[in-house]
Amino acid sequence: MRGESRTFARPFVPSALPADVVEAPHVVVIGDIHEVVGARLDADPLALRRDAARRGLTAVDLRYPYAGSLSDVEMGFVYEAVGAIDADLREVFGAGHGRLIDRYASDGTRSRWLPRIADGALIGVAVTEPAGGSDLDALRLRARHVEGGWLLDGVKGPMARLTEAAAFVVFAVTDAGLSVFLVEADAAGVTRQVTAIAGLGGWSFGELIFDGVFVEDAALLGRPGEGRAIFSAHFADWRAFMALVAVGAGEAALAQARRWARERDIAKKPLAQLPAVVERFGDRKLALDLARLAAQAALAAPVTERPDLAAQAKVAATEAGHAAIELAISVFGARGLMPSVGLDKRERDVRALQIADGPNDVLRAHLGRAYLRGAS
Ligand SMILES: Cc1cc2nc3c(=O)[nH]c(=O)nc-3n(C[C@H](O)[C@H](O)[C@H](O)COP(=O)(O)OP(=O)(O)OC[C@H]3O[C@@H](n4cnc5c(N)ncnc54)[C@H](O)[C@@H]3O)c2cc1C
């Protein structure tokens, strides 16, 4: 399987966009990516995901029983390539948060859910709560053990994938500490409160309410009390992937601005020759390249070293991506704010990535604390 995936790897340039809008020749990704998303930029991400599933592309990072055809670093290329098109398409390929089922579920749950993920089912993750977003210690959604299973009560959100997910991986407080459960989206007692969001609005967003939701014992992922370790391992990979989505978005915006700056004359000279503009392009490109390296280094590192590396990469990449998009907007002048140019959406999406999956300020504070605790 691993060998096979390499035979259909190829350079990726989505056919529906001008080549220098999404110019990522260093990006080599799986098979038919551009056939799935390249020509259908306005399609709904879940429909594209089903399309990807028909080509076997939602199971590429599953280990069991699919033998994981793409490594984490290779999946990183996929996320970057998709981010260059539209950050809202970030989960068209791969298992997404379904990786939690692959890594931590019982055999029975795996054999029921992994084929569904391979068929395109989307898995949501529910950590955040109204009273405790950034702070795992503040979580209150409770799971109480009862005969044959668990009863969940509480509220999750604001969070994404409310109406699209087939199941949610839910972090809940138990007597043993933070624990993780798989809850089917249509389980009795689960309701939703959908709200609008200005960035990353490709998935629905809002609150998920659990009112006496029963799940069987087999729905537990890992062991009771392992929630923090599971969170840390999963979000290390996820943050590095989202870092690469931001790098892809920033690279695409920068390439779009480069094209414009070469064509646009200011005082009879191309904008691209103004020293202040040249320097800003150099600065933004440098930051994007370093952020990409940081994210790839995190994905290549042993799993024990990934959490801090991924936190660094996520901060660096979402800020580098955002700065590149801001430069692109200013290079385009008033046109940079026209929705038809696409930069305003990219800007909002990457801004949302600075908050989702651990706000940058929180990650910065964590990294600072770790450094200050370190040996002198
Ligand atoms: C587009 C999007 C999708 C999301 N999807 C999901 C999802 O699918 N599942 C899910 O569970 N959650 C999801 N979230 C929620 C996200 O994880 C939370 O918004 C995030 O963890 C912050 O929580 P909060 O919004 O409650 O902010 P708060 O915890 O109230 O924090 C607000 C701000 O305070 C500052 N701050 C807080 N703590 C610290 C600290 N220790 N040090 C320094 N500064 C600090 C930061 O600037 C932070 O941004 C999503 C968010 C967005 C924007």
Side-chain angles (χ1 to χ4, degrees):
M1 186 96 181
R2 176 167 282 274
E4 254 173 57
S5 77
R6 290 178 203 282
T7 63
F8 59 79
R10 65 178 182 217
F12 165 66
V13 179
S15 53
L17 292 178
D20 60 353
V21 170
V22 182
E23 189 180 75
H26 55 282
V27 171
V28 177
V29 291
I30 44 170
D32 305 36
I33 246 183
H34 84 260
E35 280 160 35
V36 177
V37 292
R40 303 175 42 200
L41 294 177
D42 53 352
D44 120 59
L46 201 56
L48 293 178
R49 186 170 167 81
R50 289 197 201 101
D51 232 30
R54 281 192 278 281
R55 298 159 196 257
L57 300 177
T58 54
V60 282
D61 55 340
L62 291 177
R63 291 178 187 161
Y64 169 93
Y66 302 89
S69 59
L70 290 190
S71 69
D72 292 339
V73 172
E74 288 167 322
M75 266 317 285
F77 290 138
V78 174
Y79 280 104
E80 182 180 343
V82 172
I85 304 168
D86 182 342
D88 272 329
L89 304 184
R90 63 197 180 284
E91 283 159 283
V92 167
F93 304 100
H97 293 297
R99 290 161 65 100
L100 283 157
I101 301 174
D102 193 33
R103 270 59 167 179
Y104 302 105
S106 62
D107 286 349
T109 302
R110 277 200 195 116
S111 47
R112 201 145 49 86
W113 276 95
L114 297 188
R116 292 189 63 181
I117 294 169
D119 281 344
L122 180 73
I123 305 299
V125 67
V127 184
T128 307
E129 296 184 9
S134 313
D135 180 8
L136 290 184
D137 287 329
L139 298 186
R140 294 287 172 266
L141 186 139
R142 185 89 198 153
R144 198 160 42 87
H145 197 247
V146 294
E147 173 95 37
W150 300 79
L151 272 184
L152 276 63
D153 283 285
V155 178
K156 287 291 183 186
M159 55 172 276
R161 310 173 193 82
L162 289 190
T163 58
E164 298 87 356
F168 297 94
V169 175
V170 180
F171 286 72
V173 180
T174 65
D175 289 344
L178 196 62
S179 304
V180 189
F181 299 88
L182 185 68
V183 181
E184 304 208 9
D186 58 4
V190 175
T191 53
R192 294 155 184 76
Q193 195 87 52
V194 176
T195 188
I197 183 159
L200 290 180
W203 297 137
S204 59
F205 191 76
E207 286 184 351
L208 197 58
I209 298 132
F210 294 75
D211 185 6
V213 177
F214 176 79
V215 294
E216 292 177 355
D217 281 322
L220 185 71
L221 303 195
R223 287 192 297 271
E226 280 187 342
R228 279 174 182 277
I230 292 174
F231 177 92
S232 171
H234 175 69
F235 278 95
D237 295 353
W238 192 253
R239 284 170 181 159
F241 291 149
M242 294 307 104
L244 287 161
V245 168
V247 168
E251 285 280 7
L254 209 59
Q256 191 177 353
R258 176 175 60 181
R259 183 168 162 230
W260 178 254
R262 284 171 178 161
E263 286 170 4
R264 174 80 171 163
D265 284 342
I266 305 277
K268 297 192 180 142
K269 266 173 66 178
L271 192 52
Q273 288 179 17
L274 293 182
V277 172
V278 172
E279 197 178 310
R280 289 174 77 202
F281 268 93
D283 179 65
R284 302 307 188 273
K285 182 64 177 140
L286 171 68
L288 286 169
D289 285 346
L290 291 177
R292 176 186 300 106
L293 284 175
Q296 288 172 345
L299 291 169
V303 288
T304 50
E305 290 170 27
R306 281 189 200 188
D308 285 0
L309 292 174
Q312 287 179 333
K314 196 223 170 211
V315 173
T318 55
E319 291 181 3
H322 193 255
I325 297 164
E326 282 203 313
L327 170 62
I329 290 174
S330 69
V331 162
F332 269 90
R335 293 171 185 82
L337 296 173
M338 293 177 182
S340 56
V341 174
L343 292 168
D344 63 323
K345 177 181 185 318
R346 281 199 197 280
E347 197 267 338
R348 288 193 304 274
D349 288 347
V350 173
R351 186 70 188 82
L353 281 176
Q354 292 180 350
I355 294 172
D357 309 309
N360 286 6
D361 291 339
V362 175
L363 299 180
R364 257 201 194 84
H366 164 80
L367 291 166
R369 275 194 303 275
Y371 178 72
L372 290 168
R373 271 198 311 265
S376 300

